[in-house]
Amino acid sequence: MSYQVPRGTQDILPDQIHKWHALEDLIRQFCYVYDYKEIRTPIFEHTNVFKRGNDASDMVNKEMYTFTLENSSTSLTLRPEMTAGVVRSYVEHKLYGEADQPLKMYYVGPMCRHERPQKGRSRIFHQFGVEVIGAKHPLLDVETIALGWSFVSALGLKDMKVLINTLGDDASRDAYRAALKQHFAKDIDHMCADCKRRYEQNPLRILDCKVDKESAIMKTAPKMKDYLNEESKAYFEQVLAGLDALGIPYEIDDQLVRGLDYYTHTVFEVVSLNKEMGA
């Protein structure tokens, strides 16, 4: 019998660990400057922390490592992301009662997703993220983007830009969902299996489809910006004005919707413009 790491995982060897330490030190320096406190949650949670009835994300439907305890009906899942666990902790420990709100937290640690390993994508991967809970304001979104932008810039990464979009508030998103369902209704039977599932669970996720993305029905899909109410429009405009003031380059991407169903208002990605970076 040979002993090897499972597919999609890696060993971090002694001659490489100094790079991890340097990266983690930089993360903590930035979070100290931006006044984020570290939180650590368990590597596994009760499955229902991640799996909600209307969640159309591939993460929930395809990629979670879920197991049931022996002689028990308790279902547990290795964490595929941290936001849900952080919110669970926030509620369980009644952190909403803290005098100092909003609560600004960051985390660094391993996550697990059962997906096809490829370059830059592993089944155990390490993630740094931040959460701001207890307040809603466009400038908090700007601060979060600025932290991410400053961090990748400090790593020496160049030729970057921010892709950004808005999903609006709940009312705007509900109106957009209804418009998408009407738009895709006559063609959904001819679309891929994932799109059919997403049509029922969350039609916004159809815009993420890699199979049908070049079809005419996708290219003529309604745009979120046409279904924003005045409050949501003003919120997004303040976010963009904040990025302009900080000199952070961005591009509005109408099809950036994100894979998790709890997102509202601002969604963004920092992407490379360097073709040598590949996917």
Side-chain angles (χ1 to χ4, degrees), residues 59-88:
M59 184 198 77
V60 169
N61 284 278
K62 298 179 179 181
E63 299 170 1
M64 297 201 310
Y65 284 99
T66 297
F67 57 96
T68 302
L69 297 180
E70 187 175 1
N71 300 321
S72 171
S73 60
T74 300
S75 178
L76 300 173
T77 295
L78 298 179
R79 65 186 185 199
E81 55 94 18
M82 278 283 283
T83 297
V86 170
V87 173
R88 186 269 312 150

Side-chain angles (χ1 to χ4, degrees), residues 27 30-31 34 36 106 128 130 142-152 248:
I27 287 170
F30 269 94
C31 288
Y34 279 80
Y36 284 78
Y106 78 93
F128 156 51
V130 301
V142 173
E143 180 186 79
T144 303
I145 297 171
L147 170 56
W149 180 262
S150 299
F151 177 70
V152 297
I248 297 176

Side-chain angles (χ1 to χ4, degrees), residues 5 9-21 126:
V5 295
T9 68
Q10 63 174 322
D11 293 316
I12 304 169
L13 300 176
D15 65 347
Q16 294 292 315
I17 197 66
H18 68 281
K19 297 179 181 178
W20 289 75
H21 290 165
H126 294 254

Side-chain angles (χ1 to χ4, degrees), residues 43 67-68 70 81 92 112 118 148 162 166 168 217 230 254 266:
I43 192 69
F67 57 96
T68 302
E70 187 175 1
E81 55 94 18
E92 180 178 351
C112 303
Q118 53 188 290
V162 174
T166 179
I217 193 68
E230 291 305 314
D254 290 328
T266 312

